[in-house]
Structure formats: structure tokens, C-alpha cells
């Protein structure tokens, strides 16, 4: 407040509004905290009382039931001891029926005992208290209670695992004791079958309340009885109950029965390896206490709210006295904005000022340093994606002009780690009495996860559309590839023969031009097949630096003089999973696009480096997970990419080049190859400054550079007879001429049936077979199967104008030595036949 011009008597220190406001707040907070503390302590004591009461009740009940169980079992054990100690030996000389009657009389009055049986040393039954309707000579030689007594003379009483009785199929356990003869040798056992359902019925009479259970375990954790019953659990082992649970108090555990927290009290039965446990759900134990806690908490909330409201009202009045109505309004607005951006960034600036207020969180969202106190408008938006600035300006202009109710815009910001984050900003303009905006305030949140989810959804939809498009392309490519490659095969084959026959001159130049055009046609078909994923390729670790260096060497020789190529390759022996040919296509397509983007000349810079990614990053296409990568950056100083083109440039068949200058498959092929090896593509561009494509490929280890290939002379034959099968007559004639020049003796057939008939007439006439795959009467794979039925050792080479994974699989299954893709040239045929003939096994006998 400004000081007055005349003197006033000094105001005592304790009457100052600021100090009084502080005291009001302190006293109010103390009252709330004191009330909450007292109630919290009271509820904590109530909680302990509830736990202790439940613990005592469960422990006492467990001890009583353990004592009852112990008494029931001891009665049976006493009867077993009498038989084992020989008190009934006098009855042994009596007929078995009389002995059985005696045993039956001893069993009477013991409902828990189903039967009393005496077995000899071999496990055969001697006497039984109840007749058996099952096996007339039951043997317990393989039962645990017999084996334990036989192998352990000092064992004493043995309690078996739960089992089903043979007669009535009732759940039971068996108590057994050892019998000895006069010399102390093992003479058999006496056993008593205890009905577990008797315990079940007894426990059922005990009313423990809802959500409680009585359980009888062996000390190894095997469940014998549970009341209420739980299907499928008897006989299962529960480690939580192994060796029993402490009987000193109820223990709170998460049982493995149904994963419900329970209080469990257990008691051992003296003399028996059994434990009785009583379990009660935590919710049942604490239900009364929780009801009381809810009521007390509600009272505390109401009382605290009243105290807080009283404090707020009093402070509000004091602030009006101290700051006045204008200061109060500004404070409330700031407070409201801060609360609105609780976990968000918020900003506030006067439209006439260059600087404004930004919360630390807002600075983080914009990729700025929170330690810097002030930024200008341009500095604050320095990390915003260039393609989003126009949209932000348009949204602000529409809001200022009252065309939108509020300012709302989504934009991308690049953080210090290089990751692009999506931000959603919402704000409103405050206006004066004339409606003119003078202040702009709002908040912002990070919506990268939402955008990532939307991108994944869009990606799935795009993949679906792309797969449908690729299916159509694959169908088209598969339909034309075979016939078109057959035509190209004849052109390339006869052209190659013509080149050898014409050493120079005008005719040679014409032939070279024909071969060049045919090679371009072959490359176009291969590119379409590769793009539609119809081609066949084997992936493996590839030394990426060697492939890129080789590609750049080839590219450098064909670059125009106006283009300067610079390179820096620092990936070492880093290997990626893929095909060297596909990596070559990626580099060549990116570099070709870069050269075409610099019609007036410029610098083509290619860099390769290893990068360890520590956090997940979102790229223009794809996501980079943490791990080691190689990053290939291809940068040009050309015209840059228009934002409208940027969004569509990876679409199949999209091109900005003129008719005949591009197919629109280059970047689509790059994206497909990179995506197939779990890589990502990033793009940074600026109009009239240039573009940088960054390819991120995950490293899978190391691989040495491939050895330099030295061209060798074509391998030839030594008069071997080669069967040539193709339904195209020109291709048969071409193959015969090429094979004859290589030193083989070719025999051509235009019909696979005719070829098979000739082979059947003389199976040992031929040393190898070169056959087309797609033929009307019989496919090459089917022909190979028929030939191998007669002569399994004959090497067969299959060639086709359309080789996909299905063709390769059928060929391998038929025992084909090699699969070649048309159009073929002399070296491919020569090397394939040389491998096949060289590795062929000795001729086998004819199989009828």
C-alpha cells in the first residue's frame, strides 16, 4: 500500500493484517491437524483391538478343534497299537471270518474309522473289519503307508496322504503301524482308514460366521479337509501352510486358495503330523471397524471443511482490507490458473509485453530450461515444430477475433534428448470493457501418449489399407512377372550371346542399348516384387558400413559434377539383420532423391554412426526403443519438402516428379524395408535449406566386412547331358545355345510330359535337369518329384519368372538343388549348374 502524506500513530505489530492472517491460518491448521490426529490415534487403537480380538478367537477355536482331532485319531491309534503289540495274536489261530468279526466289533462305535485291516509282509490282505466288494486279493505293496513301515522299523505311526477308498470311493487318510514276528522281523502292517468326510461333517456343525473356513492340513502343506468345501483343492499342497502356522496368534496372509487376504490361526495335533487352521477373511474381521472409520472420517471431513471455510472466509476479508478488490481479483485468477494446471504447465502474459509468466512445468513442456526466469515469445516457441507454427498463429488469431470460444491447439515440441513431444494448449483472452483483449492465460499438457495411441490406431488402419493394396499389387506383380521375365530372359540371353559375337561397331552399340533397356526393365520388375513383398530373400547379419560404402562408391561415379558428395562412416563392424541388396536399395533411393532435390547443385552428405538410445523415442515413422542402433543420415542442401508433400511422401505410387521420371515407389520401399527390420525413419526439412533423412536400424552384434569379389571365368561343363524343360520355345533354344557354349550337351523339351517320358525311357542318360517352374502340364516342382521317384540322386535346378516363398518351399520339398529367378544371364546358369553337377552324389540304382 502507498504511504500517506500525513503522520499516523504507529500500528502495534500484532495488529498488522498480514500477521493476523498468518495466525488465523496457523490456528485453523492446528485445529484440523489436532482433530485428525486424535481421531487417527483412536481408530488405530480400534484397529488393533479388532485384530487382537479376532486373533484370540481364532487361536482358541483352532486349539479346541486340534484337540478334538487329536482325540479322534488317538482312539484309532490305540486300536492299531493293540493289534501291533500282539494283544490279538490269540485270535490268529482262529478262522479268518472270526478274526474279521473281532476286528469289526472293535471298529464299532468309531464312526471316523471306515475299516481296520491287517496285511502280511508282501502287502496282501489277511484280515479286514469290513468285507471288500472290489479286488478279492487287494495288495497295498505300492502304497506309501506300507512302504514307509516296511523300510523304517522305528517309524511308529504313519499318516498317509489323502486318497480315495477302493470300495466306496470316499476321501480318506490311512494310519498304519508295523507288525513284527517273534524274531523282530517285518511281518506286515495294521492299518486304519479314517474318513475325511467325517471331519467335514463335524466341522460343518461349528458356526464360525460368514467368510470363515476350517482347514485340516498335513504338516507338509497337503490339504485334507476344508469346510466350507472348495472343489478341486483337497490333496493340493499349499506352501503357506507347510510346517504349520504359528499358534501364538492369528497370522495375516494371502492364501493360495483364492488370493484373498485372511487371518489364519493354526494348532498342531500332538503325536500326529497334522495341523488344524481356521481362516477368516480380512474383510469380515475388519468390517465393524471400517464402518466406524467411515463415520469418523466423514465427521472429520465435515469438521475440517467447516474450519477451512471459516479460515478462508476470514482470510478473504483480511486480504480485502490489505490488498483491495483489484489485488484480490488478480490473486484469485492466478490461484485459479495454478490450480487448473495442477499437473500441467500454465502461462500468463499481457499481450502488449514481450515477456510473460510461465510455470516451471510449462518450461519443461516447451523443452526450455526451468532455471531461466524469463523468455520472450519467440524464445519460448523456439523448439516448436516448424510445421505447427502456422496452425498455432491461426488458432490464436481466430480466438482474438472472437471466432472461437477459447484458444485450443495441438503442436509438437522437440526436447533436449531429440524426442518430439505432443502438447495440447488451452487458453482464454481477458478483454476490457470495449472487448479488446489485453491478457492471454491458460495451461498446457503433454498428450504424447494419446497421440501415440492414435498413431498406432491410424497405423493399424494404414497397414490394413496398405496390406489390401499390397495384395492387389502382389496379385498384379505375380500375374505379369512370370510372362514378362520370360520375355526379358529371351532378350537378355540372346543379347548376351550377340554381345559376345559382335566385338564392336554400330551394331554392338545398338545391342548394348537393348541390354541396358532390358536391365532397366528387369530392375523395375524386381522393385515391384520387392515392394509388394513377393520376392524371396534370406536375412542375416549384414555389415552395414561395408554395404553403404560400396553403394556410395557406385553412386559417386554417376553423380553430376554440380553435386559434391561427403561421407563419414563410423559404425565399425556393427551388424543389422537384413539383406545387403535391400540396404543398397535404401541408400540408393535416399541419395537419388537427394540429388534430384538439388537441380542447381549442392552438397550430398552421408553419415553413419552408432547411437545408444536410452529412452523411447517417437520418429516420423516408427518408434525407437532403448538399445544400440546405427543411424544413417542422408542430408542435402536442396529445396526442402513442402508440408503437404511431407505427409504423403511415403505413400505408395505418390510422386512429385513428372510422367516417366519416377514410379513413386522409392520412399515407400525405404519405409517398408526399414519397418521390416524394426527400424524407424525420421525426417527434418526446411524450405530452401534442405532435408535430412535419418534411418535408425537396431544393432544385433558384429559382422566382418564381406571379402572383395574377384570376377572369375565362367565355370564350364565336361560334356554332361543336361535336360532343359520350358514351355517357351525361344527360352529352350536360348538355354541350349548357352549350355552348349559352356561345354554341356543340352537336350531341350517344350513339354514337361515329353521330358518325363524321355527320362523314364533312359533314367541314366541325363546328368542334371534345368526346368521352368510355371508350366501348363506339370510344374517344375512336380516334375522334380516324379524324376526323384525314379532317380533320387539327379540334381535339378528350377527357374521361374516369379519366385515367392511358396515356389521356394515347394522346390525345396521336391529336393531341388537350386532355385533361380528369371530373367537369367549366363553366369547365373553356369554357376548354378556347376554347383549342382559338382555336388551330385553317385548315380543310384533305378527305383521301380
Amino acid at each position: 500500500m502507498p504511504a500517506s502524506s500525513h503522520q499516523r500513530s504507529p500500528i502495534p505489530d500484532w495488529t498488522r493484517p498480514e500477521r493476523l492472517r498468518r495466525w488465523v491460518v496457523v490456528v485453523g491448521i492446528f485445529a484440523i491437524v489436532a482433530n485428525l490426529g486424535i481421531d487417527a490415534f483412536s481408530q488405530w487403537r480400534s484397529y488393533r483391538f479388532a485384530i487382537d480380538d479376532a486373533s484370540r478367537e481364532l487361536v482358541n477355536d483352532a486349539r479346541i478343534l486340534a484337540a478334538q482331532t487329536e482325540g479322534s485319531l488317538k482312539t484309532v491309534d490305540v486300536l492299531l497299537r493293540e493289534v501291533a503289540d500282539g494283544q490279538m495274536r490269540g485270535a490268529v489261530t482262529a478262522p479268518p471270518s472270526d478274526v474279521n468279526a473281532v476286528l469289526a466289533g472293535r471298529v464299532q462305535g468309531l464312526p471316523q474309522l471306515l475299516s481296520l485291516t491287517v496285511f502280511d509282509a508282501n502287502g496282501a490282505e489277511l484280515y479286514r473289519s469290513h468285507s471288500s466288494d472290489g479286488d478279492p486279493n487287494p495288495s497295498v505293496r505300492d502304497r506309501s503307508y506300507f512302504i514307509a513301515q516296511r523300510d523304517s522299523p522305528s517309524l511308529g505311526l504313519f499318516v498317509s496322504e489323502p486318497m480315495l477308498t477302493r470300495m466306496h470311493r470316499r476321501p480318506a487318510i490311512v494310519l498304519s503301524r508295523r507288525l513284527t514276528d517273534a524274531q523282530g522281523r517285518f511281518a506286515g502292517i495294521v492299518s486304519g482308514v479314517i474318513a475325511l468326510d467325517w471331519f467335514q461333517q463335524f466341522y460343518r456343525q461349528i458356526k464360525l460366521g460368514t467368510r470363515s473356513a476350517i482347514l485340516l492340513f498335513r504338516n507338509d502343506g497337503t490339504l485334507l479337509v476344508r469346510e466350507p468345501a472348495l472343489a478341486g483343492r483337497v490333496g493340493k499342497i499349499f506352501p503357506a501352510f507347510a510346517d504349520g502356522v504359528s499358534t501364538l496368534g492369528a497370522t495375516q496372509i494371502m492364501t493360495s486358495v483364492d488370493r484373498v487376504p485372511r487371518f489364519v490361526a493354526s494348532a498342531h495335533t500332538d503325536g500326529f503330523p497334522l495341523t488344524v487352521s481356521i481362516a477368516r477373511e480380512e474383510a469380515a474381521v475388519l468390517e465393524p471397524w471400517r464402518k466406524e472409520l467411515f463415520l469418523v472420517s466423514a465427521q472429520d471431513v465435515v469438521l475440517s471443511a467447516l474450519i477451512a471455510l471459516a479460515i478462508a472466509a476470514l482470510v478473504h476479508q483480511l486480504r480485502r482490507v490489505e490488498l483491495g478488490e483489484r489485488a484480490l481479483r488478480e490473486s484469485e485468477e492466478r490461484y485459479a490458473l495454478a490450480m487448473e494446471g495442477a499437473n500441467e504447465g500454465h502461462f500468463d502474459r499481457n499481450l502488449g509485453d514481450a515477456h510473460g509468466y510461465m510455470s516451471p512445468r510449462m518450461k519443461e513442456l516447451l523443452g526450455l530450461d526451468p532455471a531461466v526466469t524469463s523468455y520472450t515469445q519467440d524464445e519460448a516457441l523456439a523448439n516448436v515444430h516448424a510445421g505447427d507454427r502456422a496452425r498455432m498463429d491461426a488458432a490464436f488469431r481466430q480466438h482474438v477475433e472472437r471466432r472461437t470460444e477459447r484458444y485450443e491447439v495441438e503442436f509438437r515440441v522437440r526436447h533436449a534428448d531429440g524426442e518430439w513431444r505432443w502438447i495440447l494448449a488451452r487458453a482464454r483472452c481477458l478483454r476490457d470493457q470495449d472487448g479488446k483483449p489485453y491478457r492471454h492465460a491458460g495451461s498446457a499438457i503433454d498428450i504424447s501418449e494419446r497421440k501415440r495411441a492414435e498413431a498406432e490406431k491410424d497405423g493399424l488402419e494404414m497397414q490394413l489399407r496398405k496390406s489390401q493394396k499390397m495384395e492387389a499389387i502382389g496379385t498384379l506383380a505375380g500375374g505379369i512377372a512370370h510372362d514378362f521375365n520370360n520375355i526379358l530372359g529371351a532378350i537378355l540371353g540372346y543379347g548376351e550371346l550377340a554381345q559376345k559375337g559382335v566385338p564392336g561397331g554400330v551394331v554392338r552399340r545398338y545391342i548394348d542399348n537393348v541390354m541396358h533397356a532390358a536391365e532397366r526393365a528387369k530392375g523395375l520388375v524386381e522393385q515391384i516384387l520387392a515392394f509388394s513383398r513377393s520376392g524371396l530373400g534370406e536375412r542375416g547379419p549384414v555389415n552395414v558400413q561395408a554395404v553403404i560404402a560400396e553403394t556410395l562408391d557406385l553412386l559417386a561415379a554417376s553423380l553430376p559434377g554440380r553435386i559434391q558428395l561427403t561421407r563419414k562412416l563410423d559404425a565399425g563392424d556393427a551388424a543389422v539383420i537384413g539383406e545387403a541388396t535391400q540396404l543398397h536399395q535404401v541408400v540408393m533411393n535416399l541419395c537419388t532423391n537427394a540429388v534430384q532435390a538439388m537441380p542447381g547443385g549442392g552438397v550430398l552428405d552421408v553419415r553413419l554412426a552408432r547411437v545408444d538410445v536410452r529412452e523411447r523415442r517417437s520418429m516420423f515413422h516408427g518408434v525407437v526403443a532403448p538399445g544400440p542402433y546405427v543411424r544413417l543420415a542422408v542430408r542435402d542442401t536442396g529445396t526442402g519438402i513442402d508440408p503437404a508433400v511431407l505427409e504423403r511422401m511415403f505413400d505408395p505410387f505418390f510422386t512429385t516428379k513428372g510422367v516417366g521420371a519416377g514410379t513413386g515407389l522409392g520412399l515407400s520401399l525405404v519405409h517398408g524395408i526399414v519397418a521390416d527390420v524394426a527400424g524407424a525413419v525420421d525426417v527434418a526439412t526446411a524450405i530452401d535449406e534442405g532435408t535430412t533423412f535419418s534411418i535408425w536400424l537396431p544393432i544385433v552384434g558384429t559382422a566382418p566386412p564381406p571379402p572383395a569379389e574377384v570376377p572369375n571365368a565362367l565355370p564350364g561343363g565336361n560334356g554332361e547331358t543336361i535336360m532343359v524343360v520350358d514351355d517357351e520355345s525361344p527360352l529352350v533354344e536360348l538355354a541350349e545355345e548357352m549350355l552348349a557354349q559352356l561345354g554341356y550337351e543340352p537336350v531341350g523339351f517344350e513339354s514337361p510330359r515329353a521330358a518325363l517320358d524321355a527320362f523314364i525311357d533312359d533314367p541314366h542318360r541325363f546328368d542334371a535337369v534345368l526346368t521352368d517352374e510355371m508350366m501348363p502340364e506339370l510344374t517344375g516342382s512336380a516334375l522334380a518329384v516324379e524324376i526323384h521317384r525314379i532317380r533320387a540322386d539327379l540334381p535339378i535346378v528350377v527357374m521361374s519368372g516369379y519366385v515367392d516363398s511358396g515356389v521356394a518351399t515347394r522346390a525345396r520339398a521336391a529336393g531341388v538343388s537350386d532355385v533361380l529367378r528369371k530373367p537369367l544371364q549366363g553366369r547365373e546358369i553356369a554357376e548354378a549348374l556347376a554347383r549342382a553337377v559338382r555336388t551330385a552324389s553317385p548315380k543310384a540304382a533305378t527305383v521301380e
Side-chain angles (χ1 to χ4, degrees):
M1 299 286 292
S4 177
S5 60
H6 60 277
Q7 295 291 331
R8 290 185 178 180
S9 58
I11 301 176
D13 190 60
W14 60 269
T15 62
R16 290 182 179 178
E18 182 179 356
R19 172 162 295 191
L20 181 58
R21 187 172 63 252
R22 291 178 181 174
W23 273 108
V24 169
V25 173
V26 170
V27 170
I29 294 176
F30 177 79
I32 294 175
V33 172
N35 179 62
L36 293 177
I38 293 172
D39 287 343
F41 177 74
S42 176
Q43 289 305 307
W44 177 81
R45 291 188 60 191
S46 297
Y47 172 81
R48 295 308 312 167
F49 287 153
I51 297 298
D52 293 342
D53 289 345
S55 177
R56 284 192 297 270
E57 178 187 351
L58 295 179
V59 168
N60 291 335
D61 290 345
R63 289 175 176 173
I64 292 173
L65 291 177
Q68 182 278 335
T69 303
E70 176 184 341
S72 300
L73 296 177
K74 279 187 176 180
T75 303
V76 177
D77 187 35
V78 168
L79 184 56
L80 296 181
R81 286 177 180 272
E82 291 179 358
V83 177
D85 293 343
Q87 293 187 15
M88 293 190 63
R89 289 178 181 173
V92 174
T93 58
S97 59
D98 293 344
V99 177
N100 292 343
V102 172
L103 294 178
R106 301 304 296 272
V107 170
Q108 290 181 356
L110 298 178
Q112 72 273 26
L113 184 60
L114 295 179
S115 65
L116 185 65
T117 310
V118 178
F119 298 93
D120 63 13
N122 294 319
E125 179 183 307
L126 296 177
Y127 309 106
R128 173 184 285 272
S129 62
H130 294 78
S131 61
S132 174
D133 297 333
D135 188 354
N137 295 303
S139 174
V140 295
R141 187 181 186 88
D142 59 343
R143 296 294 183 134
S144 60
Y145 54 86
F146 179 85
I147 297 173
Q149 296 292 357
R150 182 192 63 193
D151 297 342
S152 303
S154 60
L155 177 62
L157 179 67
F158 177 79
V159 179
S160 76
E161 71 280 0
M163 61 185 66
L164 294 176
T165 62
R166 293 176 174 176
M167 186 186 309
H168 302 293
R169 310 301 294 175
R170 294 174 61 183
I173 58 174
V174 178
L175 275 61
S176 65
R177 282 193 173 274
R178 181 185 179 96
L179 298 178
T180 58
D181 57 13
Q183 287 76 32
R185 293 174 300 184
F186 176 68
I189 67 168
V190 56
S191 66
V193 180
I194 307 298
L196 294 179
D197 52 9
W198 181 84
F199 289 100
Q200 187 87 36
Q201 295 173 1
F202 175 78
Y203 294 158
R204 193 171 296 148
Q205 305 303 318
I206 301 174
K207 306 299 183 183
L208 292 178
T210 60
R211 294 181 285 185
S212 300
I214 303 174
L215 305 98
L216 178 62
F217 288 92
R218 290 201 342 164
N219 283 353
D220 62 359
T222 304
L223 178 63
L224 303 180
V225 178
R226 186 186 191 277
E227 175 57 35
L230 195 61
R233 292 295 180 176
V234 174
K236 298 298 180 66
I237 294 178
F238 295 84
F241 295 94
D243 297 328
V245 182
S246 173
T247 60
L248 298 179
T251 304
Q252 187 179 15
I253 66 173
M254 181 78 73
T255 69
S256 59
V257 176
D258 51 12
R259 309 305 300 170
V260 176
R262 287 183 170 88
F263 288 90
V264 179
S266 301
H268 294 285
T269 57
D270 293 338
F272 300 92
L274 302 177
T275 298
V276 177
S277 299
I278 298 180
R280 181 168 297 166
E281 291 185 13
E282 179 187 281
V285 173
L286 299 179
E287 184 175 1
W289 172 79
R290 286 174 175 166
K291 291 181 178 179
E292 180 184 356
L293 176 62
F294 176 77
L295 294 176
V296 173
S297 299
Q299 294 174 359
D300 288 342
V301 170
V302 172
L303 182 58
S304 299
L306 291 175
I307 295 175
L309 288 174
I311 294 173
L314 187 54
V315 169
H316 176 73
Q317 294 300 325
L318 292 174
R319 290 180 68 87
R320 285 178 60 88
V321 174
E322 180 184 6
L323 302 175
E325 184 176 358
R326 180 181 177 84
L328 177 60
R329 183 173 62 251
E330 293 179 352
S331 177
E332 287 175 343
E333 290 170 354
R334 179 65 59 80
Y335 177 77
L337 291 173
M339 294 303 296
E340 183 180 351
N343 192 27
E344 306 170 357
H346 55 277
F347 55 91
D348 183 6
R349 74 182 182 94
N350 293 323
L351 296 182
D353 297 339
H355 294 268
Y357 169 79
M358 287 191 297
S359 67
R361 176 58 178 161
M362 188 66 203
K363 296 175 184 178
E364 293 178 1
L365 293 177
L366 293 178
L368 305 174
D369 185 1
V372 179
T373 58
S374 179
Y375 288 95
T376 65
Q377 181 73 2
D378 292 337
E379 291 173 344
L381 302 180
N383 297 326
V384 174
H385 195 285
D388 298 336
R389 292 293 297 271
R391 187 168 65 254
M392 296 175 66
D393 294 340
F396 179 74
R397 187 167 52 254
Q398 290 174 0
H399 180 55
V400 170
E401 296 172 357
R402 293 181 178 270
R403 284 187 286 169
T404 57
E405 183 179 353
R406 64 181 178 179
Y407 171 79
E408 183 171 346
V409 66
E410 297 177 357
F411 55 93
R412 288 164 290 179
V413 174
R414 189 159 196 161
H415 284 201
D417 59 359
E419 182 177 5
W420 288 99
R421 307 291 295 181
W422 276 96
I423 308 300
L424 170 61
R426 294 189 180 97
R428 290 181 182 273
C429 283
L430 300 182
R431 303 176 186 271
D432 56 19
Q433 295 179 351
D434 299 329
K436 182 179 179 181
Y438 67 90
R439 188 174 174 188
H440 190 231
S443 62
I445 58 174
D446 189 332
I447 59 169
S448 299
E449 292 300 325
R450 192 192 79 187
K451 282 291 187 179
R452 186 175 294 115
E454 293 175 353
E456 291 177 357
K457 177 184 176 182
D458 294 341
L460 292 176
E461 294 176 352
M462 183 183 300
Q463 288 177 9
L464 176 60
R465 293 192 297 269
K466 182 178 179 181
S467 65
Q468 294 172 343
K469 185 182 296 183
M470 292 305 99
E471 183 178 359
I473 294 175
T475 303
L476 175 64
I480 68 172
H482 179 265
D483 293 337
F484 193 55
N485 279 332
N486 280 341
I487 297 172
L488 288 178
I491 295 173
L492 287 172
Y494 282 113
E496 188 176 359
L497 294 177
Q499 283 179 326
K500 295 178 181 179
V502 180
V506 176
V507 176
R508 174 57 183 263
R509 186 170 72 252
Y510 293 162
I511 295 175
D512 291 342
N513 290 335
V514 170
M515 292 293 290
H516 179 68
E519 288 289 348
R520 289 181 57 193
K522 176 183 177 182
L524 178 60
V525 174
E526 290 179 350
Q527 191 175 26
I528 293 176
L529 289 176
F531 176 71
S532 64
R533 303 296 184 268
S534 297
L536 178 67
E538 296 182 358
R539 295 180 180 175
V542 177
N543 186 302
V544 63
Q545 181 165 319
V547 174
I548 293 175
E550 178 184 355
T551 305
L552 293 179
D553 290 341
L554 295 175
L555 180 67
S558 61
L559 285 178
R562 67 181 184 275
I563 303 297
Q564 177 185 356
L565 173 64
T566 62
R567 69 178 81 180
K568 184 178 181 181
L569 309 180
D570 293 329
D573 289 339
V576 300
I577 290 295
E579 297 181 61
T581 303
Q582 290 187 339
L583 292 178
H584 173 87
Q585 287 178 314
V586 169
V587 179
M588 188 62 72
N589 286 340
L590 291 178
C591 291
T592 300
N593 285 350
V595 171
Q596 293 174 349
M598 298 183 290
V603 177
L604 172 61
D605 182 61
V606 180
R607 295 177 181 269
L608 181 71
R610 297 176 62 113
V611 178
D612 289 327
V613 178
R614 300 180 180 271
E615 297 180 355
R616 177 187 175 97
R617 298 185 188 177
S618 297
M619 300 296 173
F620 191 88
H621 271 297
V623 176
V624 175
Y629 286 81
V630 289
R631 180 179 62 194
L632 169 65
V634 178
R635 182 181 64 87
D636 64 69
T637 57
T639 58
I641 302 175
D642 185 85
V645 175
L646 192 66
E647 298 297 330
R648 298 190 55 199
M649 62 183 179
F650 287 97
D651 292 348
F653 303 109
F654 176 79
T655 180
T656 58
K657 304 179 180 68
V659 177
T663 63
L665 294 177
L667 289 180
S668 297
L669 186 61
V670 169
H671 173 247
I673 293 174
V674 174
D676 281 348
V677 296
V681 181
D682 202 12
V683 183
T685 185
I687 301 299
D688 297 330
E689 294 184 10
T691 303
T692 300
F693 282 86
S694 297
I695 307 299
W696 296 76
L697 302 174
I699 296 177
V700 296
T702 60
E709 295 185 2
V710 178
N712 299 321
L714 295 182
N718 191 22
E720 292 88 348
T721 302
I722 308 298
M723 173 186 286
V724 180
V725 187
D726 200 313
D727 60 333
E728 296 284 344
S729 177
L731 294 182
V732 174
E733 297 174 0
L734 172 63
E736 287 179 331
E737 291 192 28
M738 297 178 74
L739 294 180
Q741 291 185 5
L742 291 172
Y744 294 103
E745 182 66 32
V747 179
F749 297 90
E750 297 179 15
S751 167
R753 289 292 181 186
L756 182 59
D757 293 340
F759 180 80
I760 293 174
D761 292 340
D762 189 0
H764 294 282
R765 174 186 175 186
F766 302 100
D767 297 293
V769 176
L770 178 65
T771 176
D772 187 26
E773 171 64 17
M774 306 298 292
M775 294 182 292
E777 296 178 342
L778 201 65
T779 65
S781 299
L783 177 62
V785 171
E786 297 297 329
I787 291 176
H788 281 164
R789 286 178 180 175
I790 301 173
R791 182 179 164 191
D793 65 327
L794 184 65
I796 300 176
V797 177
V798 169
M799 54 185 177
S800 177
Y802 176 57
V803 180
D804 62 0
S805 58
V807 171
T809 301
R810 291 195 303 271
R812 300 302 183 195
V816 170
S817 303
D818 208 343
V819 179
L820 303 180
R821 181 183 301 167
K822 293 181 180 179
L824 300 174
Q825 293 181 327
R827 177 170 295 278
E828 295 175 287
I829 296 178
E831 292 178 350
L833 279 178
R835 288 193 301 268
V837 173
R838 183 173 58 252
T839 58
S841 58
K843 296 183 179 180
T846 301
V847 179
E848 296 295 338

